[in-house]
Amino acid sequence: MTTRPIIILPDPKLKLVSDPVTRVDDDARALMDDMLETMYHAPGIGLAAIQVGIPTRIVVVDVTRDEDNKEPLCLVNPEIIWLSEETAIYEEGCLSIPEYYEEVERPAQCKVSYLDRKGEACEIHCDGLLSTCIQHEIDHLNGVLFIDHLSRLKRDRVIRRFTKAQKQESNA
Ligand code: GNR
Ligand code: NI
């Protein structure tokens, strides 16, 4: 297991629509393990494969934030099969947009189908932070970032800030 570098805004890869996994094999499981290590190391509560540069529909999540009682979830080809009418607002962040946080309103509950690490079909009913986090991760698989849910003014401001920072980096 190793941590992998996380790609950052404005990396154009973040806009890619990721491809479905055709077989949950050892290679896919090795990627999930690396993603979990990368997520815990960051630290973060979720990570999509595209954030380590791989456009594949794999997500890892752990919203427990408890070092001693980890509850890692690996979701392959996750699909939202139900969203609640009720909404919830959370302050979101993204490891690909470091140190930027903003409130986002999303459906409060969701139901998601996915394949687990063994390739078995599963469903999960999500509420609270888990619901927000899984919706944020599935957005990544479709090339959508949480800033895409903000006003155009706020979004453009963040993109400009990160584009500038990257240019200064490359000139340093
Ligand atoms: O670590 C993360 N925290 C977070 C907080 C609120 C809503 C979503 C998230 S996910 C984020 C990690 C990340 O970028 N996942 O794609
Ligand atoms: Ni993110």
Side-chain angles (χ1 to χ4, degrees):
M1 281 216 286
T2 45
T3 64
R4 301 193 188 201
I6 294 174
I7 63 172
I8 302 293
L9 196 72
D11 193 317
K13 276 188 180 174
L14 290 168
K15 300 233 125 187
L16 291 177
V17 176
S18 294
D19 296 321
V21 174
T22 50
R23 241 183 52 142
V24 187
D25 56 14
D26 286 344
D27 286 346
R29 278 183 286 271
L31 173 59
M32 294 176 213
D33 289 340
D34 284 0
M35 287 171 62
L36 280 168
E37 188 167 326
T38 304
M39 177 188 77
Y40 286 126
H41 178 259
I45 59 170
L47 193 73
I50 192 59
Q51 293 182 275
V52 293
I54 299 174
T56 294
R57 302 186 84 81
I58 295 178
V59 158
V60 297
V61 172
D62 190 340
V63 296
T64 59
R65 295 178 193 260
D66 182 348
E67 285 275 323
D68 302 319
N69 290 292
K70 291 189 173 148
E71 280 181 40
L73 257 175
C74 297
L75 297 89
V76 176
N77 299 342
E79 274 183 58
I80 293 175
I81 53 177
W82 174 78
L83 292 167
S84 65
E85 298 273 335
E86 187 197 339
T87 61
I89 297 175
Y90 276 92
E91 183 169 79
E92 298 197 19
C94 182
L95 294 172
S96 297
I97 315 173
E99 289 165 61
Y100 180 76
Y101 307 92
E102 198 57 71
E103 288 187 337
V104 178
E105 181 173 16
R106 298 181 186 268
Q109 291 97 29
C110 63
K111 233 168 119 172
V112 173
S113 68
Y114 64 98
L115 303 177
D116 67 11
R117 286 176 67 96
K118 295 181 230 152
E120 284 171 16
C122 302
E123 276 181 25
I124 186 170
H125 188 280
C126 309
D127 198 350
L129 183 58
L130 179 63
S131 178
T132 281
C133 184
I134 287 188
Q135 289 174 57
H136 173 121
E137 301 313 335
I138 294 175
D139 270 355
H140 273 300
L141 302 183
N142 296 322
V144 174
L145 300 171
F146 85 91
I147 55 171
D148 294 322
H149 295 280
L150 307 178
S151 70
R152 185 158 155 193
L153 178 69
K154 282 185 179 171
R155 178 169 58 253
D156 288 351
R157 224 188 258 152
V158 184
I159 294 171
R160 214 170 316 125
R161 168 144 57 95
F162 277 81
T163 304
K164 248 188 195 169
Q166 192 205 42
K167 287 205 178 108
Q168 284 176 342
E169 190 88 348
S170 68
N171 287 332

